[in-house]
Amino acid sequence: MIIAISGTPGVGKTTVAKLLAKKLGYDYVDLREFALRHGIGEMKGEELEVEIDELAYYVERELKGRDLVLDGHLSHLMPVDQIIVLRAHPKIIGERLKERGYSKEKISENVEAELVDVCLLEALEENESIIEIDTTNKTPEEVIDEILNLFEKGVKRRLGVVDWTKVYDEVIPYLDLGGGDEWV
Ligand SMILES: Nc1ncnc2c1ncn2[C@@H]1O[C@H](COP(=O)(O)OP(=O)(O)OP(=O)(O)O)[C@@H](O)[C@H]1O
């Protein structure tokens, strides 16, 4: 079975995906590396731009039927058996991306994406089997235990674990709201 680990950049996909693969004895596949290896997409500066359909075609052709954990912020758009969308307080995303030296614009873009559930909403259009996990204040090990526990119970779909609209005020400093002083 292919398990996709998706979520906003900085949410902890790579950490969780590698640990989950190890625990399950599955292979670990980084979707970006997979795309590069197959000559899919074009580099635009630091970023790799890919055609989703082309990437999905290769995933189906090369990976289908294998037991693996697929890591990447586009993995929820791929033909997989189970999607796990990791969530974290948008402030945490902001802080992690700041530490990585991302631009203000990039930080704002990603914090906003987490705030308004972009990955989750996209995933809902693709697949029935979606498990949402709130990683806020949890260690990677605790996140893995939660995932394995749900798998053991046969849970394939669990949504609605976070509502960041309640913490919007804490997130404002990370957002590039523009407008200047005229908006009072
Ligand atoms: N509960 C948690 N789950 C996952 N990572 C966590 C958790 N708590 C703290 N972290 C830390 O958060 C950081 C997340 O980085 P990671 O590269 O895994 O994120 P990512 O979502 O794969 O990012 P990107 O998509 O930008 O590559 C790591 O330093 C990790 O140790």
Side-chain angles (χ1 to χ4, degrees):
M1 129 159 140
I2 302 182
I3 303 168
I5 304 285
S6 196
T8 311
V11 78
K13 296 181 290 296
T14 303
T15 309
V16 168
K18 284 186 173 165
L19 204 56
L20 183 64
K22 203 169 156 195
K23 286 262 177 184
L24 292 172
Y26 280 22
D27 289 332
Y28 165 83
V29 176
D30 179 324
L31 191 55
R32 181 189 157 91
E33 275 174 18
F34 175 84
L36 288 171
R37 204 164 58 237
H38 289 88
I40 304 162
E42 254 178 67
M43 289 306 293
K44 293 263 163 73
E46 288 273 285
E47 288 185 27
L48 178 67
E49 275 190 13
V50 295
E51 280 280 340
I52 299 297
D53 289 349
E54 189 188 5
L55 188 55
Y57 166 80
Y58 276 90
V59 166
E60 177 94 17
R61 204 182 77 175
E62 305 288 324
L63 303 179
K64 203 181 173 181
R66 280 176 55 186
D67 283 335
L68 59 89
V69 180
L70 190 60
D71 169 16
H73 68 281
L74 298 177
S75 65
H76 60 280
L77 303 176
M78 297 296 113
V80 300
D81 303 289
Q82 177 71 59
I83 298 174
I84 294 179
V85 180
L86 299 181
R87 308 301 306 269
H89 191 306
K91 216 171 128 179
I92 295 177
I93 302 287
E95 285 304 314
R96 285 196 188 140
L97 298 184
K98 221 191 221 177
E99 264 174 45
R100 286 187 194 175
Y102 277 35
S103 68
K104 263 192 159 178
E105 193 190 351
K106 269 275 159 210
I107 294 172
S108 167
E109 198 180 296
N110 286 305
V111 166
E112 191 181 328
E114 179 60 28
L115 187 66
V116 301
D117 313 323
V118 169
C119 272
L120 176 67
L121 295 176
E122 286 180 2
L124 284 168
E125 290 188 14
E126 297 293 324
N127 207 311
E128 279 286 302
S129 303
I130 304 168
I131 292 175
E132 221 188 340
I133 305 268
D134 182 11
T135 66
T136 311
N137 298 326
K138 290 174 193 157
T139 65
E141 288 75 17
E142 283 170 335
V143 169
I144 296 298
D145 285 348
E146 193 171 327
I147 294 170
L148 294 176
N149 200 12
L150 290 167
F151 282 178
E152 264 170 37
K153 287 189 194 143
V155 175
K156 291 188 162 60
R157 188 173 167 92
R158 189 196 59 174
L159 307 170
V161 297
V162 300
D163 177 2
W164 302 138
T165 58
K166 291 187 182 132
V167 297
Y168 184 70
D169 286 353
E170 293 172 54
V171 177
I172 289 173
Y174 298 90
L175 299 175
D176 184 9
L177 298 172
D181 295 334
E182 63 271 33
W183 298 96
V184 179

